[in-house]
Amino acid sequence: MNDLPVDWRIVRLADVLSEPLVNGRSPRLGDDGLPVLRMTALRAETVDFTQSKSSDRGDDSALLLAERGDLLVGRVNGSLSLVGEGALVDEPPTPMAIPDTMIRVRVRRDVVDPRYLAHLWKSPVMRRQIEARARQGGAAIYRINQPDLAEVLLPLPALVEQRRIIGLLEDHLARIDATTIRTGNALDQADVLIRTLTARAGLGALSATAGLRRVAGAGDGTLPHLPAHWRWTRLEDVAEVTRGITVLGKQQWNPADVDVSCLRVANVQRGRLDLDDVRTIRLPAPRAQAARLRAGDVLLTGGGSSDTLGRGWIWEEQLPYCVHQSHVFRVRITAHQLHPVLLAWHANGFGRQWCERNATQVTRLASISLGKIRLMPVPVAPADEQHHLVTVVQAHTRALTAASAAAERALVVAGRLRSNLLERAFTGHLSHPLSPSGQQESVL
């Protein structure tokens, strides 16, 4: 902050307080007392009053209430980048209590405009100071205390200049936020479109009803209609389905064993394989060879939380020698009856709901047995139509994926633009000609 304009000054927070810094108070939880803010209420420039919990009415008189113009600062967090984050109290819809995980900051309004302070608090200028002063306690929790907070330095112009900066900042930030929201919505829509497109392709809904034999113990529900020239069958009728390797604890060292990569549930995502963290295990060579994955194998998850069941994707020899753990099923299509991509799309759409319906639930965990997964209903199209569908849909999904990647890069640029804008604003470099509607927004 050494290159500030000559008419700016640097002051300690302690020197502009109208009242001493004070921690909030956390009451007992209840149903009919005052609402108490959660830490998530501090994410934006102004406090999000929807992020609250109820307290016990008997503690109401002891609570510290948030008032318009207060800056609330989080004093503890498990993340260094979030400790000390702050937000301005605008207009509480009802009396709202401040918990003991927050520090209340009240400044002299004849010296500091509270909105100026709120925007300054979100800037890299303040973030660097807070992270430098934060202290790490037990259980990897970061803390910022009142004495350290009182010593942070504020770059301070005259009130009239503060208000000019507020006006410019809020105009620029509103434009950035609007563009970010539009880009995020486009990303969500692209993801929904990809999932809908692949699910419909797997069920023949993209083509110009068939029945399925019922099996005891399989809850199929109402099966979607297929084109007349398609047919329903069971997974076991078109593929060989096997469970993976059971990884044991410590085993006796055998120099003849071989090291092989082994995929876990975490590696098998819906529509992709995540191979950033693949574990290695040692197996006897014959066993490793028998369990080795081949190109075209479809991997499906069989255990974990209910929303992970049945998700999967195709093995394409991404690693030279790889097997899979017992909570992952290997589906190897027989006699080229079904295109692996169509099966994977189907498993990630219809198969997900079918697995949830047929799984065994234990508390928050779910699993589906080998015998049950083999009974999953699978639609089969004529061979030439399968390849045409895959070609057409993959062309569309590649275009959507490329657009999504561009949108994600735009969100990174938006975050960087926001940070740079705040940095310039509070080092005296935000001038009137700066316009986010031209070159800056075009980057997004």
Side-chain angles (χ1 to χ4, degrees):
M1 292 190 288
N2 296 326
D3 57 346
L4 294 176
V6 293
D7 54 341
W8 287 44
R9 57 197 178 109
I10 297 176
V11 301
R12 297 182 312 147
L13 178 61
D15 296 332
V16 294
L17 294 174
S18 63
E19 296 184 29
L21 299 175
V22 60
N23 293 353
R25 303 178 184 95
S26 287
R28 298 184 302 271
L29 297 182
D31 295 325
D32 55 357
L34 289 174
V36 181
L37 290 169
R38 300 177 184 272
M39 291 296 292
T40 49
L42 305 182
R43 295 293 162 82
E45 276 82 8
T46 56
V47 172
D48 180 359
F49 293 108
T50 66
Q51 298 295 311
S52 63
K53 55 191 174 183
S54 296
S55 66
D56 187 284
R57 180 179 292 276
D59 286 350
D60 284 359
S61 61
L63 296 180
L64 184 69
L65 299 183
E67 296 183 12
R68 182 180 176 85
D70 289 346
L71 182 79
L72 305 183
V73 176
R75 64 186 188 89
V76 294
N77 204 288
S79 169
L80 180 61
S81 64
L82 295 177
V83 67
E85 66 179 348
L88 181 69
V89 176
D90 232 351
E91 192 66 64
T94 60
M96 193 75 62
I98 305 171
D100 66 356
T101 52
M102 297 180 189
I103 301 173
R104 188 196 69 191
V105 179
R106 280 186 182 166
V107 292
R108 292 173 47 195
R109 299 194 186 190
D110 60 330
V111 179
V112 184
D113 189 301
R115 297 197 75 82
Y116 176 89
L117 181 63
H119 287 298
L120 170 60
W121 212 268
K122 297 293 184 184
S123 74
V125 173
M126 295 304 297
R127 191 71 246 161
R128 289 191 291 267
Q129 294 188 68
I130 289 170
E131 291 185 10
R133 294 175 180 275
R135 307 176 187 192
Q136 189 171 13
I141 298 296
Y142 293 91
R143 303 175 184 275
I144 185 84
N145 58 33
Q146 292 180 26
D148 285 330
L149 201 62
E151 294 300 314
V152 297
L153 302 177
L154 313 179
L156 210 60
L159 270 175
V160 64
E161 178 65 4
Q162 291 179 38
R163 288 164 185 156
R164 184 188 75 84
I165 290 171
I166 292 167
L168 285 172
L169 259 183
E170 292 184 348
D171 178 56
H172 297 334
L173 291 174
R175 294 172 185 267
I176 294 172
D177 289 344
T179 304
T180 300
I181 291 170
R182 290 197 301 270
T183 305
N185 289 341
L187 269 173
D188 292 340
Q189 291 167 2
D191 181 59
V192 169
L193 185 54
I194 288 173
R195 287 189 281 111
T196 302
L197 189 62
T198 55
R200 288 174 64 82
L203 292 171
L206 303 183
S207 301
T209 57
L212 174 68
R213 63 180 173 88
R214 296 293 173 176
V215 175
D220 295 333
T222 302
L223 296 177
H225 290 294
L226 298 178
H229 53 294
W230 288 46
R231 63 186 173 90
W232 279 108
T233 188
R234 299 285 177 185
L235 184 57
E236 64 183 1
D237 295 331
V238 293
E240 174 191 280
V241 188
T242 59
R243 190 182 289 280
I245 298 292
T246 299
V247 180
L248 303 176
K250 293 183 178 180
Q251 294 178 282
Q252 186 174 359
W253 174 262
N254 187 335
D257 290 350
V258 294
D259 291 321
V260 293
S261 301
C262 185
L263 299 184
R264 299 164 291 130
V265 170
N267 300 122
V268 182
Q269 298 295 313
R270 202 172 300 282
R272 64 185 177 88
L273 298 180
D274 183 353
L275 304 179
D276 290 339
D277 180 20
V278 177
R279 310 288 171 82
T280 299
I281 63 173
R282 286 185 67 81
L283 292 173
R287 188 180 181 199
Q289 182 60 35
R292 182 177 180 176
L293 294 172
R294 299 179 192 168
D297 287 345
V298 178
L299 298 169
L300 300 178
T301 56
S305 58
S306 60
D307 64 341
T308 67
L309 285 177
R311 74 184 183 193
W313 196 238
I314 305 155
W315 181 252
E316 297 173 302
E317 299 285 3
Q318 293 94 328
L319 298 173
Y321 208 125
C322 193
V323 299
H324 57 108
Q325 281 190 3
S326 58
H327 289 301
V328 176
F329 300 114
R330 183 197 71 195
V331 182
R332 183 167 292 164
I333 297 167
T334 56
H336 305 289
Q337 298 179 73
L338 184 61
H339 198 297
V341 173
L342 283 175
L343 175 58
W345 287 343
H346 175 67
N348 288 323
F350 169 88
R352 175 181 180 178
Q353 288 77 32
W354 189 90
C355 285
E356 288 183 8
R357 187 183 301 119
N358 288 273
T360 300
Q361 302 279 344
V362 180
T363 60
R364 296 183 179 180
L365 298 179
S367 63
I368 190 163
S369 67
L370 177 62
K372 192 63 69 68
I373 196 76
R374 286 172 170 164
L375 300 179
M376 179 192 292
V378 176
V380 180
D384 57 344
E385 189 168 342
Q386 291 185 36
H387 289 279
H388 175 72
L389 269 174
V390 170
T391 300
V392 170
V393 175
Q394 282 185 332
H396 288 299
T397 56
R398 278 195 295 269
L400 287 168
T401 299
S404 295
E408 288 171 352
R409 291 193 296 272
L411 291 177
V412 173
V413 172
R416 192 179 304 129
L417 178 58
R418 185 184 185 89
S419 179
N420 290 344
L421 180 62
L422 290 167
E423 178 83 33
R424 290 178 62 82
F426 299 109
T427 52
H429 296 94
L430 186 58
S431 57
H432 288 284
L434 184 63
S435 173
S437 59
Q439 180 180 358
Q440 295 175 17
E441 190 169 330
S442 69
V443 176
L444 303 179

